[in-house]
Amino acid sequence: MSDALKHECGIALIRLKKPLEFYKEKYGSAFYGVNKMYLLMEKQHNRGQDGAGFASIKLDTKPGDRYISRVRSIAQQPIQDIFAQINERINEELTEHPEYQDDVALQKQHIPYIGELFLGHVRYGTFGKNSVESVHPFLRQNNWMHRNLIVAGNFNMTNVNHLFDGLVKLGQHPKEKADTVTIMEKIGHFLDDAVSKIYKKLKKEGYNKNECSPLIAERLNVAKILKKAAKNWDGGYAMAGLLGHGDSFVLRDPSGIRPAYYYEDDEVVVVASERPVIQTVFNVDFEDVKELAPGHAIITKKSGEVSIEQILEPLERKACSFERIYFSRGSDAEIYQERKTLGKLLMPKVLEAIDGDTKNSVFSYIPNTAETSFFGMIETVEQHLNERKTRTILDGGGKLSAETVTEILSERPRIEKIAIKDVKLRTFITEDSSRDDLVAHVYDVTYGVIKPTDNLVIIDDSIVRGTTLKMSIIKMMDRLNPKQIVVVSSAPQIRYPDCYGIDMANLESLIAFRAMLALLKETNNYYLIEEVYHKCKAQLTLKDKEVKNYVKDLYRQFTADEISAKIAELISDPSIKAKVKTIFQPIENLHKACPKNLGDWYFTGNYPTPGGNRVVNRAFINFYEGNKERAY
């Protein structure tokens, strides 16, 4: 994507069902779980490269022995940094104590990070904060084994203020308002409560204090704790947690906004944000990896018993379509086909934009995730050309010469790699002119393949802010002297902020919103902005479920094609010699291509939870008042 989006995260959980000796005997190492966790995290690095964290729990340790280990990093390559630290510590212990080398019991007792339960997390820095304290997993410590709680998630809550106030009413004093802390403390409160109640009941049944501990682990009802804790959550989430004694869970939001997949056999339970990651790391088939149903949790007890429990009533499924367009790895069998279909469905509009002149058109893509959509687009161009060739040959009535037929059959789509992402640029200078100059050099171009009579058709995943297009790509493409540049987006126009885990918090940063504002000015309808502002202000005291998205009224003034044309103007400037057009995926085609992921609120404004309308309401007020704060 030319406009890099952040804020997405990835989770990975592994529970080993057998004693560590089993893995040593079968796979040659008691570090089997650590190694698999490294692979699960590394293969999800696309979901976050600003920070990473790892936690492990050893089961059935003696009092006085350390049973929880955690390491987090915000290094340049945080996953590698974490596992370098883990390996260094393990090697240190094995060097100092050669007697541990083949003794799994001693390894487990004395070497950190070796255990039966593992939780990993990769993230992008959110809200500009990227200190190591912000990196998951978070840990809530207690001397009671059962009350230790480790939490990591791919999520964003829209109602964190409400949840924070709820904790205060319970008598807590949370250290900050961050949604991770708030969520962890909410779960922690009901965990403490459940442990206390079970303990009191066991005492009444005549058990002494020592006998209570294993029985608490048996009787603890994780599903019941989650039902109480998650009752008022509003957001998109795949939330993972480990309890100190060895229970674990992953809970998915009721709309299925954020993804979660799991695999189980007699050796292991594994959960991750992406299906192909599990397939690759554990060498299992597509059908073996299941999707965790919305509103459900996969819970593994200390005993190894696994259950899928409904925690919240599932809502209409609105799984995030951006997962399919951009965030998730394209190696997933379904996602690969969906991205190709997105490219195929755009071709009628592309052919219209170039007046069917494929001979004088070069097709390319913005690297790297738009490549699959590009393949789909080219398949459709080839199909179009084959139909045209067949008609031409048939119209010849058998009178065409061999040379003519050969010439007709030799026509192919002109495919070139035009845009090259030269570096992963970090615009570390905040002063505008310096930053703009850096952005202009994110991409390089291939010279010598475009003629002045050519259309240059280039496909991107989506156009969010348009900054890189304007400052870099369009200018560099124009240097090649094409007749026309057609920028094609495999996603529809992004018109509204996200609030469920993607970093699109402000309306004015979205190029579709800026295009709509420009059209309102041109048509003398800018007064509608003030009307919508007053409607939004009037909703500030309403409950979330009563709030309406009045920003939709502004977009309704114009057709999608009118906004596309204005976006084309905004991403070019007077120095651009070529004619510039933009083509966006229609919403209907998005739904055809991604039928299981119908979450489209950033395109349509149809938010799947009540908190979404409150966020867009606040975002519009912030825009109108010139307030740079986030809307959530």
Side-chain angles (χ1 to χ4, degrees):
M1 185 182 290
S2 54
D3 287 323
L5 284 180
K6 293 190 174 184
H7 213 277
E8 198 53 273
C9 299
I11 57 169
L13 182 147
I14 295 175
R15 165 62 200 272
L16 302 181
K17 287 183 168 184
K18 306 273 191 186
L20 292 182
E21 286 78 6
F22 170 87
Y23 304 95
K24 168 78 170 170
E25 189 176 329
K26 183 170 180 179
Y27 300 106
S29 173
F31 310 121
Y32 174 82
V34 177
N35 292 335
K36 291 295 188 188
M37 182 56 76
Y38 169 68
L39 290 170
L40 282 177
M41 290 174 68
E42 190 56 70
K43 298 230 171 253
Q44 293 187 106
H45 77 270
N46 53 296
R47 304 185 71 86
Q49 294 164 34
D50 286 343
F54 168 100
S56 65
I57 289 180
K58 303 173 191 277
L59 302 183
D60 301 313
T61 55
K62 295 173 188 172
D65 285 350
R66 188 183 182 94
Y67 59 96
I68 293 176
S69 298
R70 180 178 62 146
V71 58
R72 299 179 292 173
S73 174
I74 55 167
Q76 188 86 32
Q77 296 182 306
I79 300 169
Q80 290 91 324
D81 182 50
I82 279 171
F83 285 92
Q85 291 182 54
I86 290 171
N87 286 332
E88 188 180 344
R89 186 66 200 280
I90 290 170
N91 291 332
E92 213 173 81
E93 292 289 338
L94 291 175
T95 303
E96 286 180 24
H97 302 278
E99 68 274 19
Y100 296 171
Q101 197 70 47
D102 293 307
D103 192 323
V104 175
L106 286 176
Q107 287 177 3
K108 180 175 172 179
Q109 184 181 358
H110 296 289
I111 301 179
Y113 309 115
I114 299 172
E116 293 87 354
L117 191 50
F118 306 90
L119 180 58
H121 188 265
V122 294
R123 80 189 287 267
Y124 278 116
T126 57
F127 300 70
K129 278 198 278 183
N130 198 35
S131 66
V132 77
E133 287 79 20
S134 306
V135 177
H136 300 198
F138 277 36
L139 171 62
R140 188 179 193 261
Q141 290 181 292
N142 196 287
N143 261 355
W144 281 72
M145 185 179 269
H146 319 88
R147 294 186 183 187
N148 280 292
L149 174 64
I150 302 170
V151 170
N154 168 19
F155 72 101
N156 195 67
M157 298 296 172
T158 72
N159 63 335
V160 68
N161 289 337
H162 173 72
L163 296 173
F164 179 87
D165 292 343
L167 289 174
V168 174
K169 283 175 186 171
L170 289 170
Q172 289 194 15
H173 191 95
K175 62 181 182 179
E176 58 178 297
K177 259 191 184 178
D179 49 8
T180 311
V181 172
T182 307
I183 293 305
M184 183 173 65
E185 292 302 336
K186 193 82 167 172
I187 298 169
H189 168 79
F190 291 109
L191 173 63
D192 289 348
D193 189 48
V195 170
S196 295
K197 283 176 179 171
I198 296 168
Y199 177 68
K200 285 174 186 171
K201 195 172 180 188
L202 288 167
K203 291 288 285 178
K204 280 182 185 174
E205 291 174 21
Y207 293 98
N208 66 37
K209 292 178 181 179
N210 245 352
E211 293 168 329
C212 284
S213 193
L215 293 169
I216 290 171
E218 277 178 34
R219 296 191 188 185
L220 202 62
N221 187 333
V222 177
K224 196 172 179 181
I225 291 166
L226 291 175
K227 282 174 186 175
K228 289 179 178 178
K231 190 177 174 184
N232 296 315
W233 293 357
D234 187 293
Y237 49 88
M239 192 73 60
L242 315 179
L243 307 187
H245 63 275
D247 287 0
S248 68
F249 66 85
V250 177
L251 169 62
R252 192 176 181 200
D253 68 84
S255 299
I257 294 169
R258 300 269 71 91
Y261 296 88
Y262 68 92
Y263 166 75
E264 180 200 0
D265 60 23
D266 60 349
E267 295 181 11
V268 69
V269 180
V270 56
V271 188
S273 294
E274 303 205 26
R275 188 201 310 264
V277 169
I278 299 175
Q279 285 182 253
T280 302
V281 173
F282 289 89
N283 191 25
V284 294
D285 293 334
F286 180 92
E287 297 75 20
D288 297 327
V289 183
K290 311 294 183 193
E291 184 176 5
L292 184 60
H296 287 66
I298 178 168
I299 297 168
T300 307
K301 290 292 292 174
K302 177 182 178 290
S303 63
E305 178 193 348
V306 180
S307 62
I308 307 291
E309 308 261 359
Q310 182 178 308
I311 305 301
L312 297 161
E313 187 71 35
L315 303 172
E316 184 183 358
R317 182 185 165 93
K318 290 291 182 182
C320 172
S321 55
F322 247 124
E323 288 285 347
R324 320 302 276 188
I325 296 166
Y326 175 62
F327 281 116
S328 294
R329 291 174 82 87
S331 55
D332 182 283
E334 286 183 344
I335 291 173
Y336 186 80
Q337 290 305 322
E338 288 169 11
R339 288 183 183 173
K340 280 186 81 172
T341 304
L342 286 167
K344 288 178 180 179
L345 292 171
L346 281 162
M347 268 322 290
K349 293 185 83 170
V350 172
L351 288 169
E352 187 183 324
I354 61 174
D355 296 322
D357 185 7
T358 51
K359 192 170 281 189
N360 291 300
S361 296
V362 172
F363 298 90
S364 194
Y365 61 91
I366 306 291
N368 284 320
T369 47
E371 189 173 2
T372 310
S373 295
F374 173 72
F375 289 152
M377 186 170 77
I378 293 306
E379 277 185 21
T380 312
V381 178
E382 286 171 342
Q383 187 183 332
H384 167 76
L385 284 176
N386 287 339
E387 288 168 2
R388 196 162 76 189
K389 291 173 194 176
T390 304
R391 278 197 311 272
T392 305
I393 291 168
L394 290 175
D395 289 347
K399 295 176 183 175
L400 299 176
S401 67
E403 290 83 0
T404 304
V405 172
T406 301
E407 189 183 333
I408 292 166
L409 291 176
S410 66
E411 188 179 349
R412 296 277 184 277
R414 292 171 59 198
I415 300 166
E416 304 290 353
K417 187 161 186 179
I418 297 294
I420 301 155
K421 196 160 190 181
D422 210 13
V423 290
K424 185 188 175 194
L425 182 80
R426 288 183 180 270
T427 49
F428 51 90
I429 299 172
T430 56
E431 188 256 320
D432 283 349
S433 59
S434 299
R435 188 175 66 242
D436 287 349
D437 184 56
L438 288 168
V439 170
H441 291 86
V442 173
Y443 289 89
D444 203 350
V445 288
T446 303
Y447 294 94
V449 293
I450 303 288
K451 301 192 298 287
T453 52
D454 285 338
N455 300 298
L456 174 53
V457 178
I458 191 146
I459 189 168
D460 199 355
D461 301 294
S462 59
I463 302 170
V464 187
R465 304 176 187 98
T467 310
T468 309
L469 274 172
K470 184 182 177 84
M471 299 308 302
S472 178
I473 295 169
I474 299 295
K475 286 183 176 179
M476 299 198 86
M477 299 296 162
D478 194 54
R479 285 185 205 165
L480 303 176
N481 295 314
K483 176 179 72 177
Q484 177 177 236
I485 302 168
V486 182
V487 182
V488 185
S489 168
S490 71
Q493 295 165 4
I494 296 165
R495 299 178 167 195
Y496 303 93
D498 181 72
C499 52
Y500 303 118
I502 299 173
D503 193 14
M504 295 191 295
N506 302 313
L507 277 166
E508 61 270 28
S509 67
L510 305 176
I511 193 152
F513 184 77
R514 298 202 306 275
M516 179 268 292
L517 294 180
L519 288 169
L520 285 174
K521 284 177 182 171
E522 285 177 14
T523 56
N524 296 319
N525 285 312
Y526 204 77
Y527 67 91
L528 293 173
I529 295 290
E530 190 171 352
E531 286 185 9
V532 169
Y533 168 70
H534 289 303
K535 285 179 181 177
C536 290
K537 285 287 276 188
Q539 295 188 106
L540 286 175
T541 56
L542 298 181
K543 292 180 179 174
D544 283 358
K545 61 184 178 184
E546 296 169 355
V547 177
K548 292 179 181 173
N549 181 356
Y550 286 114
V551 181
K552 285 183 181 183
D553 294 347
L554 298 172
Y555 283 108
R556 284 193 191 106
Q557 307 300 313
F558 310 103
T559 66
D561 286 345
E562 286 173 326
I563 292 173
S564 293
K566 183 52 68 176
I567 289 172
E569 284 181 35
L570 295 180
I571 61 173
S572 52
D573 61 44
S575 69
I576 305 298
K577 298 184 290 293
K579 184 177 181 183
V580 178
K581 283 184 186 173
T582 56
I583 294 173
F584 288 85
Q585 191 79 255
I587 295 289
E588 315 79 63
N589 284 355
L590 174 71
H591 292 168
K592 275 184 204 169
C594 308
K596 295 180 188 173
N597 284 50
L598 299 175
D600 61 6
W601 52 91
Y602 11 69
F603 312 125
T604 63
N606 299 329
Y607 289 90
T609 75
N613 283 340
R614 177 174 48 75
V615 167
V616 73
N617 196 60
R618 169 47 66 188
F620 190 81
I621 292 169
N622 286 350
F623 150 71
Y624 187 88
E625 294 179 350
N627 183 350
K628 296 300 179 187
E629 285 181 15
R630 297 178 72 90
Y632 58 87

